[in-house]
Amino acid sequence: QTRFEESGGGSVQAGGSLRLSCTGFWPAQTDYCLGWFRRSPGQELKGVALIEQDDDFYYDYDLDGRFTISQDVAKRTIYLQMNNLKPDDTAKYYCAAEEGSWCYRRKLEELDAFGFWGQGTQVTVSS
């Protein structure tokens, strides 16, 4: 069930930055978990970052602090700021939401928990 629209992807050189945005849907329930996921070439979809209604967040440990997830409730928008991008960050990035539940770290792997998805935006990082 596709509800979101992602934007902000593109092609950058290693070391560059991009900010992804996700709009078009906002959870109706007070408790929710929002996330960014990515599918690299030849790999499975993988969790990148999660944020919940009170701004608690979780990140894939492999990111080494380079990415920041945030939300603007008034604008009904989720962001992913990506800095010091590496070729291994090349992937299609998707945002997703789960209503009625908070985030926890293991949800980075529990893709089935998220019922609302976007169609993705491509990020390509060249060396």
Side-chain angles (χ1 to χ4, degrees):
Q1 189 176 17
T2 302
R3 297 287 187 89
F4 288 111
E5 182 173 341
E6 300 92 341
S7 62
S11 296
V12 296
Q13 291 190 326
S17 298
L18 285 173
R19 188 176 81 157
L20 306 183
S21 300
C22 179
T23 60
F25 170 78
W26 200 258
Q29 299 189 36
T30 303
D31 296 337
Y32 58 79
C33 181
L34 307 173
W36 284 97
F37 298 80
R38 67 184 182 184
R39 189 193 307 273
S40 301
Q43 298 187 22
E44 295 183 350
L45 194 61
K46 180 180 178 182
V48 174
L50 304 174
I51 189 168
E52 60 187 16
Q53 68 283 348
D54 59 358
D55 283 337
D56 279 350
F57 50 80
Y58 302 89
Y59 294 99
D60 177 1
Y61 287 126
D62 292 341
L63 295 177
D64 296 327
R66 297 181 295 115
F67 291 9
T68 304
I69 188 171
S70 61
Q71 59 180 325
D72 187 326
V73 177
K75 294 183 178 180
R76 300 160 63 98
T77 302
I78 315 163
Y79 300 100
L80 185 68
Q81 177 67 43
M82 306 187 294
N83 298 325
N84 191 22
L85 283 161
K86 303 177 180 180
D88 284 349
D89 296 318
T90 294
K92 194 164 188 178
Y93 286 73
Y94 301 84
C95 61
E98 179 195 14
E99 290 187 298
S101 179
W102 292 4
C103 297
Y104 48 83
R105 176 164 296 283
R106 199 170 62 214
K107 279 191 179 175
L108 287 167
E109 303 171 15
E110 295 179 355
L111 276 61
D112 289 345
F114 295 84
F116 305 95
W117 290 84
Q119 295 193 4
T121 185
Q122 179 67 36
V123 172
T124 303
V125 185
S126 58
S127 57

